[in-house]
Amino acid sequence: MQHTLSVLVENKPGVLTRVTALFSRRGFNIDSLAVGVTEDPTLSRITMVVSAADVPLEQITKQLHKLVNVLKINDLDPAEMVDRELVLFKVNAPPDRRHEVIEVTNVFRAKIIDVGKNSLTIEATGTSEKLAAMEDLLRAYGIKEMARTGRIALARGSRES
Amino acid sequence: MTQRITGAEALVKALQAEGVDIMFGYPGGVVLPIYDALYDAEDIKHVLVRHEQGAIHAADGYARATGRPGVALVTSGPGATNTVTGIANAYMDSIPLVVFTGQVATSVIGTDAFQESDITGITMPITKHNYLVKDAAELPEVIKEAFHIATTGRPGPVLIDVPVDVSKGEVDFAYPETVNLPGYKPTYRGHAKQIKQASNLIAKARKPLLYVGGGVIASGAAREVKELAELMQLPVTCTLMGKGAFPEDHHLFIGMPGMHGAKYTNYSITETDLLIGVGVRFDDRVTGKLSAFASKAKVIHVDIDPAEIGKNKPVDVPIVGDARHIVAALVEELRKMDAAPRTDAWMRAIDDWRNRFPLHYSGETGTIMPQRVVQRIDAIANEMGRELIVCTEVGQNQMWAMQFHTCRSPRTWVSSGGLGTMGFGFPASIGAQAGRPDALVVDIAGDGSFQMVSQELATAKVHDLPVKVVILNNGYLGMVRQWQELFYGKRYSQSVLPQDCPDFVKLAEAYGCFGVRAEKPEDVDQALAAAFAYDGPAVVDCRVEAEECVFPMVAPGGSIDEMLGGIPGCPVSEMLDDELLEEVWE
């Protein structure tokens, strides 16, 4: 099962390594990872997507809690969170098919941020499902390159992440 | 009041503020500023070892024997990497160490500079926490935090990497009185509801068993454990790490569990209806096949590390917190409940197994039996009225020491548990002796293990640390040979070490130590007595039965009540028709 972990850590050198090394050491694969400072500049939030059964996941969150630089871990409930990811697609777009690509971009409320002779670069944000659907459609034109930020998420309402 | 001093001076002042009076180390290029500052620190004794591995194991042995954190100082690169095994060893056994490593100057970190190694990266998975100090101003706070983290909660090693320019840099020194670690808040007090629930189970159990480990030693809970055991008449088993947590001459003591535990111990675990684990981690060497381990029991698990609870064995009543607080709370609760012991029939069943399946070894016919050497060490130390601290290496020597040495108090047993580090015992004994100058410190060694670290004889001699190394010399890597005998058709691949190479007596003498050999059973007492009486380090080369095995034994992955060797018995599940047991069952 896929879990979205929101991990609040001290904003210090090496903390990301400690967190990710713990996952690999205990045999977990991280599907996506996004890190950045929070409203408090001394803290960073690491949002991780991991696929794991509940029991091993409990063990790894307990191990994670033992890291001195880790303050808080929240396994976000999918129904009670908002999540987004940003993707850049560089898509084949020869002049005769360019309008089709632009149309797809508009449908997904994405933005064209760079235009080349035979390509368009699209910026899209959304949930993993939306971006997967968009990727699927764009594949028909040929995706030359793709970069994604990894999922970030917060708990809904006034609940803390 | 602050004072402008160098980073190296600040480091020394911080050690003094922490009450460090002894440390173990080895100098090198980038730690010279620190060694220079230590030159004037007359209140800190520095034990110069002959290899950094010796320093880290000695610091570990010191910590185990005294309960205070062990401190080591080594240089960058090879100095630092030579401590890795010892750090991993301390991490596995939850031993508080503060390890200082030198580092190349901050300006050249990352350039593959001479003697550079990324020691914080290397030790990340084997330290409780580690630091790379980038500025001398951080040193006081970092050192304060390191000692705090190493010694509180579940103890463990903390490493501080100090670049040479940080040592040479200047700092306004003021040692902080408190630490600010928002992500580090160990739980000490157990949850009241859980304690109540556990007490109810203990009060009702007919076949309870107290299973105690290193956590009891670390938290200083031996007195509370004894109180609990006596109050409810609970049989007690101590793990390798918990040896000494309960007096082994007590009638409630029922031996060590697991792979080389006594049959009666493992039978008791198999039959118990309530397993009360305190400061233990259900290690595979204890549990054997997990599904068969205490499979009839409800499980109470007390541990300060929440990650240990339910890690290997599902638990009915988890209690996170410090063993001493929690066991004391259990005793209080049980007293309040007026709970009375109900284990009379259960103890008689265990005693019956104990009488039928004791630990034993064959009588001597011209060759020394290693088990008897262990027993004679105890007896002779007793006769001399000396307090005995037993250190061990790893392998058969360790298991025989575990089985046949009667340990009576905490911190008198020093043995590498989790990592199983050969070459640990001798340097650890040096550290233990440094911390406990009045004790008779004996390292029960194998000929293989001792040769990994025998150069530390120089350390023992020069620092006048009169440890006694008793080598159970069988001319093999004994435990490897035993597995080859049992599981690899007696093909002794690379496990043969000639018994007379080196000549351990001459080796001892070369270092100015006392060396003596025991070749026949009748030599043992005299050799041990002479070594123990000698005013200095000594080596006793006991030529023991070469192909003796440690028995009984649970085959790897097997269920713990199915044991090889020892007095023939059968799995406890096939003993159910015993009259005495029926009485317990009712």
Side-chain angles (χ1 to χ4, degrees):
Chain A
M1 189 188 152
Q2 209 181 55
H3 294 263
T4 306
L5 298 181
S6 178
V7 185
L8 206 58
V9 300
E10 289 182 273
N11 184 9
K12 285 184 178 172
V15 176
L16 181 63
T17 314
R18 289 177 199 278
V19 170
T20 52
L22 184 65
F23 276 78
S24 64
R25 187 156 78 238
R26 303 251 166 200
F28 284 84
N29 216 7
I30 299 173
D31 296 339
S32 99
L33 179 74
V35 196
V37 293
T38 63
E39 69 285 359
D40 176 346
T42 66
L43 302 180
S44 294
R45 186 181 305 281
I46 302 176
T47 312
M48 268 187 288
V49 180
V50 281
S51 299
D54 292 346
V55 173
L57 187 81
E58 186 193 331
Q59 174 61 210
I60 196 148
T61 52
K62 281 174 165 179
Q63 295 292 350
L64 210 49
H65 265 300
K66 286 166 66 174
L67 296 180
V68 171
N69 306 119
V70 171
L71 284 111
K72 212 170 138 191
I73 303 160
N74 198 344
D75 183 1
L76 294 170
D77 178 351
E80 295 292 337
M81 71 175 187
V82 282
D83 65 299
R84 288 294 180 270
E85 189 173 0
L86 187 145
V87 185
L88 299 181
F89 297 105
K90 189 179 286 180
V91 183
N92 274 330
D96 57 323
R97 302 199 68 183
R98 187 164 285 180
H99 67 280
E100 292 176 38
V101 176
I102 293 171
E103 213 164 281
V104 173
T105 306
N106 289 337
V107 167
F108 283 93
R109 281 186 243 160
K111 267 197 289 191
I112 304 220
I113 54 170
D114 187 44
V115 183
K117 274 188 185 150
N118 283 304
S119 70
L120 287 172
T121 302
I122 304 163
E123 170 200 319
T125 33
T127 60
S128 310
E129 293 75 26
K130 168 182 157 180
L131 297 172
M134 187 170 175
E135 182 188 339
D136 201 38
L137 279 176
L138 291 174
R139 216 168 268 292
Y141 305 94
I143 299 174
K144 292 157 75 89
E145 282 183 324
M146 184 168 94
R148 49 204 307 168
T149 57
R151 183 186 298 172
I152 53 168
L154 289 176
R156 280 184 186 278
S158 48
R159 212 176 269 108
E160 276 186 38
S161 304
Chain B
M1 266 289 284
T2 60
Q3 217 182 328
R4 192 85 182 153
I5 54 175
T6 68
E9 288 164 346
L11 192 154
V12 172
K13 275 190 172 296
L15 292 181
Q16 288 163 331
E18 289 293 339
V20 173
D21 54 9
I22 191 159
M23 61 194 294
F24 306 86
Y26 204 97
V30 295
V31 283
L32 288 179
I34 302 172
Y35 272 94
D36 194 59
L38 276 172
Y39 201 59
D40 299 322
E42 281 167 10
D43 50 345
I44 299 179
K45 180 180 171 180
H46 179 282
V47 176
L48 175 65
V49 294
R50 292 298 178 271
H51 186 295
E52 289 89 350
Q53 184 180 3
I56 195 86
H57 288 329
D60 184 325
Y62 171 86
R64 290 181 205 234
T66 64
R68 295 193 290 271
V71 179
L73 169 62
V74 299
T75 193
S76 64
T81 54
N82 278 342
T83 65
V84 168
T85 301
I87 292 171
N89 186 73
Y91 184 67
M92 285 286 261
D93 288 349
S94 308
I95 303 302
L97 298 184
V98 178
V99 183
F100 293 92
T101 51
Q103 182 55 278
V104 299
T106 49
S107 56
V108 295
I109 286 179
T111 65
D112 304 317
F114 178 65
Q115 294 195 328
E116 178 183 359
S117 72
D118 173 16
I119 197 65
T120 46
I122 291 169
T123 59
M124 209 172 267
I126 53 167
T127 49
K128 188 170 170 188
H129 194 53
N130 63 21
Y131 296 89
L132 168 58
V133 183
K134 294 274 188 64
D135 185 338
E138 296 169 17
L139 266 174
E141 192 184 54
V142 163
I143 297 172
K144 177 79 187 176
E145 286 180 10
F147 276 90
H148 178 76
I149 293 169
T151 55
T152 53
R154 179 179 182 171
V158 177
L159 180 140
I160 306 176
D161 201 19
V162 188
V164 63
D165 54 322
V166 170
S167 294
K168 287 179 179 167
E170 289 200 331
V171 50
D172 290 321
F173 183 82
Y175 201 60
E177 283 179 5
T178 52
V179 291
N180 176 26
L181 292 164
Y184 179 74
K185 301 235 157 35
T187 308
Y188 290 96
R189 305 265 162 202
H191 194 285
K193 203 183 90 195
Q194 304 293 87
I195 287 168
K196 177 97 194 142
Q197 213 180 332
S199 304
N200 285 337
L201 287 178
I202 297 170
K204 272 194 303 200
R206 299 300 304 267
K207 297 182 284 176
L209 182 60
L210 198 47
Y211 156 45
V212 304
V216 171
I217 309 274
S219 79
R223 198 173 55 108
E224 288 75 10
V225 164
K226 187 157 174 262
E227 235 182 314
L228 175 63
E230 286 177 343
L231 177 69
M232 298 307 294
Q233 291 294 302
L234 307 171
V236 182
T237 178
C238 294
T239 67
L240 183 95
M241 288 305 302
K243 195 173 172 79
F246 193 78
E248 298 190 357
D249 46 5
H250 197 289
H251 75 282
L252 291 170
F253 179 72
I254 60 157
M256 172 181 78
M259 183 171 271
H260 290 294
K263 289 190 170 179
Y264 56 87
T265 319
N266 286 352
Y267 291 166
S268 306
I269 293 172
T270 304
E271 282 308 308
T272 181
D273 62 359
L274 179 66
L275 189 68
I276 311 155
V278 183
V280 291
R281 58 183 181 89
F282 296 82
D283 177 71
D284 59 82
R285 283 296 188 268
V286 167
T287 63
K289 187 160 96 192
L290 262 172
S291 58
F293 181 76
S295 55
K296 300 174 184 174
K298 286 210 182 274
V299 178
I300 298 170
H301 190 185
V302 178
D303 205 283
I304 198 155
D305 181 357
E308 285 304 339
I309 291 180
K311 184 179 82 177
N312 294 341
K313 170 100 183 154
V315 172
D316 298 282
V317 185
I319 314 180
V320 175
D322 178 66
R324 195 161 60 86
H325 285 137
I326 292 168
V327 177
L330 288 172
V331 169
E332 198 190 315
E333 186 65 36
L334 286 159
R335 286 224 170 95
K336 240 191 278 170
M337 292 163 65
D338 265 330
R342 308 177 64 184
T343 58
D344 189 48
W346 172 229
M347 274 314 296
R348 274 187 289 137
I350 295 175
D351 284 337
D352 176 56
W353 286 326
R354 190 179 348 222
N355 293 332
R356 282 157 64 198
F357 309 107
L359 290 171
H360 84 120
Y361 56 92
S362 335
E364 285 167 332
T365 50
T367 314
I368 300 168
M369 294 304 281
Q371 299 94 330
R372 196 176 68 88
V373 176
V374 174
Q375 291 177 318
R376 294 313 297 163
I377 291 171
D378 276 23
I380 292 167
N382 261 340
E383 281 161 25
M384 296 171 80
R386 300 288 305 276
E387 192 197 358
L388 181 62
I389 294 179
V390 168
C391 306
T392 78
E393 300 295 342
V394 164
Q396 288 186 319
N397 59 80
Q398 179 184 33
M399 291 298 109
W400 284 319
M402 183 72 205
Q403 291 179 331
F404 291 96
H405 161 54
T406 306
C407 193
R408 293 178 181 84
S409 53
R411 302 202 179 280
T412 61
W413 167 259
V414 175
S415 191
S416 165
L419 198 66
T421 311
M422 284 175 70
F424 166 76
F426 178 44
S429 72
I430 290 174
Q433 185 80 75
R436 298 284 310 278
D438 296 331
L440 173 64
V441 180
V442 175
D443 175 37
I444 296 179
D447 44 320
S449 296
F450 182 60
Q451 286 186 67
M452 288 190 169
V453 285
S454 61
Q455 80 283 350
E456 301 301 338
L457 281 168
T459 309
K461 172 68 186 174
V462 171
H463 288 278
D464 199 16
L465 296 165
V467 299
K468 317 298 174 187
V469 181
V470 179
I471 305 172
L472 306 177
N473 183 353
N474 55 12
Y476 284 111
L477 297 174
M479 192 58 93
V480 173
R481 190 208 60 77
Q482 175 169 339
W483 282 48
Q484 288 171 332
E485 177 186 330
L486 298 172
F487 310 120
Y488 293 89
K490 297 196 179 182
R491 289 154 54 86
Y492 298 145
S493 178
Q494 303 302 322
S495 54
V496 184
L497 310 173
Q499 231 175 356
D500 50 7
C501 179
D503 180 326
F504 288 110
V505 173
K506 282 190 186 156
L507 182 72
E509 287 167 357
Y511 285 102
C513 303
F514 177 69
V516 60
R517 180 166 295 123
E519 285 176 289
K520 297 264 167 291
E522 56 273 24
D523 302 339
V524 172
D525 278 22
Q526 213 180 0
L528 291 175
F532 294 178
Y534 180 74
D535 183 21
V539 175
V540 184
D541 177 18
C542 295
R543 299 293 176 88
V544 301
E545 179 65 48
E547 302 207 353
E548 178 68 0
C549 285
V550 180
F551 281 134
M553 177 180 189
V554 178
S559 144
I560 60 162
D561 68 329
E562 291 170 17
M563 302 192 79
L564 311 170
I567 290 173
C570 54
V572 71
S573 52
E574 291 162 32
M575 293 180 185
L576 297 185
D577 50 5
D578 273 7
E579 257 176 55
L580 193 53
L581 284 172
E582 271 171 23
E583 197 182 325
V584 190
W585 261 245
E586 276 160 17

